């Protein structure tokens, strides 16, 4: 999936509003992180995120998002082989040894913050731990390239090279994206690419960079619920994301507390 949509540059003032959207989103994710333990349901995690977002006068960005049918929740909760877009459910309990990816979006004063993390539930295998570390580091390796004068391909290639140098795969089917008044604006920022190619990065662009990493294959498929994306071979997956403003001073991560 890619978003060949308009690239909208943001003013300083807009970036500060987006910083607040990002901060509220980070607080919601922090509350979810603290609640993750064996036995909790993904529906309970969803309720926690929504409560934090609304308590700050903001709205969930994912709820009602158009897709095969309007997205029904505040977060996506994707467990183990589920890469992205897992729908929270009161029937879905986390178990020790799982890894769970939580993605969340917040709309504040009309602007979106979008961020995701993956973490272990209880004790996880060394292999799962390594996957989390590589995926999170790939996000920061990519963010480091988000500077005026670089191109989208520099960011994409940095993520791909880091991930593949550790023996893992990046998805070809889902990408990072510009973000602003719309959750998905231009440019698309794939997790694979060629240095020096693609859209020129400029101060005022705001981009959600989101490495989606699979252990066994780059291929995915969608479950019959028409939202949940899983690795085609059932292998473990991880996902980290930040909304980042490109400024003259370098990358400015908006989705942190
Ligand atoms: Mg997201
Ligand atoms: Mg995103």
């Amino acid at each position: 999936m890619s978003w060949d949509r308009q690239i909208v540059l943001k003013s300083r003032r807009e970036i500060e509003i987006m910083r607040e959207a990002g901060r509220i989103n980070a607080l919601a994710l922090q509350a979810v992180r603290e609640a993750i333990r064996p036995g909790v349901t993904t529906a309970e995690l969803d309720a926690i995120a929504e409560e934090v977002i609304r308590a700050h006068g903001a709205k969930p960005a994912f709820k009602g998002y158009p897709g095969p049918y309007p997205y029904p929740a505040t977060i996506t909760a994707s467990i183990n082989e589920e890469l992205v877009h897992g729908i929270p459910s009161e029937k879905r309990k986390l178990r020790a040894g799982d890894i769970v990816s939580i993605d969340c979006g917040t709309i504040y004063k009309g602007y979106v913050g979008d961020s995701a993390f993956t973490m272990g539930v209880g004790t996880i295998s060394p292999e799962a731990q390594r996957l989390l570390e590589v995926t999170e580091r790939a996000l920061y390796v990519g963010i480091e390239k988000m500077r005026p004068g670089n191109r989208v391909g520099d960011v994409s290639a940095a993520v791909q090279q880091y991930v593949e140098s550790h023996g893992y795969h990046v998805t070809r089917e889902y990408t990072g994206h510009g973000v602003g008044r719309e959750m998905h604006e231009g440019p698309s920022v794939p997790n694979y690419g060629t240095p020096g190619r693609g859209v020129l990065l400029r101060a005022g662009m705001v981009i959600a960079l989101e490495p989606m990493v699979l252990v066994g294959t780059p291929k995915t498929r969608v479950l019959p619920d028409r939202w949940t994306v899983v690795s085609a071979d059932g292998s473990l997956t991880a996902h980290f994301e930040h909304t980042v403003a490109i400024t003259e001073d370098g990358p400015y991560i908006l989705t942190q507390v």
Side-chain angles (χ1 to χ4, degrees):
M1 193 184 300
S2 79
W3 290 280
D4 292 321
R5 297 183 186 175
Q6 204 187 351
I7 297 170
V8 185
L9 296 182
K10 280 77 182 181
S11 67
R12 252 211 172 105
R13 190 189 64 84
E14 288 177 295
I15 288 172
E16 284 314 311
I17 297 171
M18 293 190 74
R19 173 72 182 97
E20 185 59 14
R23 191 183 73 87
I24 296 165
N25 201 63
L27 289 170
L29 286 178
Q30 189 176 62
V32 169
R33 181 186 288 277
E34 286 165 6
I36 286 176
R37 57 182 157 69
V40 73
T41 69
T42 52
E44 289 172 301
L45 300 178
D46 189 68
I48 289 167
E50 180 166 5
E51 191 179 317
V52 172
I53 290 167
R54 295 202 190 276
H56 287 82
K59 285 190 312 194
F62 294 179
K63 211 168 244 198
Y65 195 84
Y69 49 93
Y71 189 74
T74 294
I75 62 171
T76 66
S78 309
I79 302 168
N80 297 333
E81 77 282 4
E82 297 170 359
L83 177 64
V84 286
H85 305 168
I87 300 173
S89 163
E90 56 199 20
K91 296 189 192 109
R92 203 71 197 277
K93 274 197 171 101
L94 298 183
R95 295 176 308 184
D98 284 341
I99 58 173
V100 59
S101 302
I102 306 293
D103 195 347
C104 188
T106 292
I107 304 172
Y108 178 74
K109 293 189 176 171
Y111 290 87
V112 177
D114 183 12
S115 181
F117 69 88
T118 306
M119 71 178 270
V121 183
T123 304
I124 61 174
S125 70
E127 293 80 5
Q129 187 61 43
R130 180 171 177 271
L131 173 66
L132 301 191
E133 287 167 11
V134 168
T135 308
E136 184 168 23
R137 273 191 250 128
L139 171 60
Y140 290 97
V141 164
I143 288 173
E144 181 53 32
K145 298 287 184 186
M146 294 173 71
R147 296 171 183 278
N150 278 352
R151 290 184 180 272
V152 163
D154 295 310
V155 178
S156 299
V159 170
Q160 179 180 18
Q161 285 167 14
Y162 188 80
V163 169
E164 292 183 351
S165 74
H166 289 82
Y168 297 140
H169 304 272
V170 289
T171 179
R172 301 297 194 274
E173 292 144 327
Y174 302 89
T175 73
H177 50 91
V179 53
R181 286 195 174 275
E182 302 292 332
M183 188 157 68
H184 295 119
E185 300 181 351
S188 281
V189 184
N191 294 311
Y192 63 96
T194 307
R197 300 286 286 276
V199 170
L200 184 66
L201 300 181
R202 297 170 60 191
M205 285 183 176
V206 180
I207 287 170
L209 183 66
E210 44 184 317
M212 290 164 248
V213 175
L214 306 90
V215 168
T217 173
K219 293 199 171 65
T220 62
R221 62 187 178 86
V222 179
L223 294 186
D225 70 15
R226 294 186 290 157
W227 273 106
T228 310
V229 177
V230 298
S231 59
D233 64 353
S235 64
L236 284 182
T237 68
H239 178 209
F240 283 82
E241 176 181 30
H242 271 309
T243 297
V244 181
I246 294 168
T247 78
E248 295 296 351
D249 300 327
Y252 175 24
I253 299 175
L254 304 181
T255 37
Q256 52 193 354
V257 293

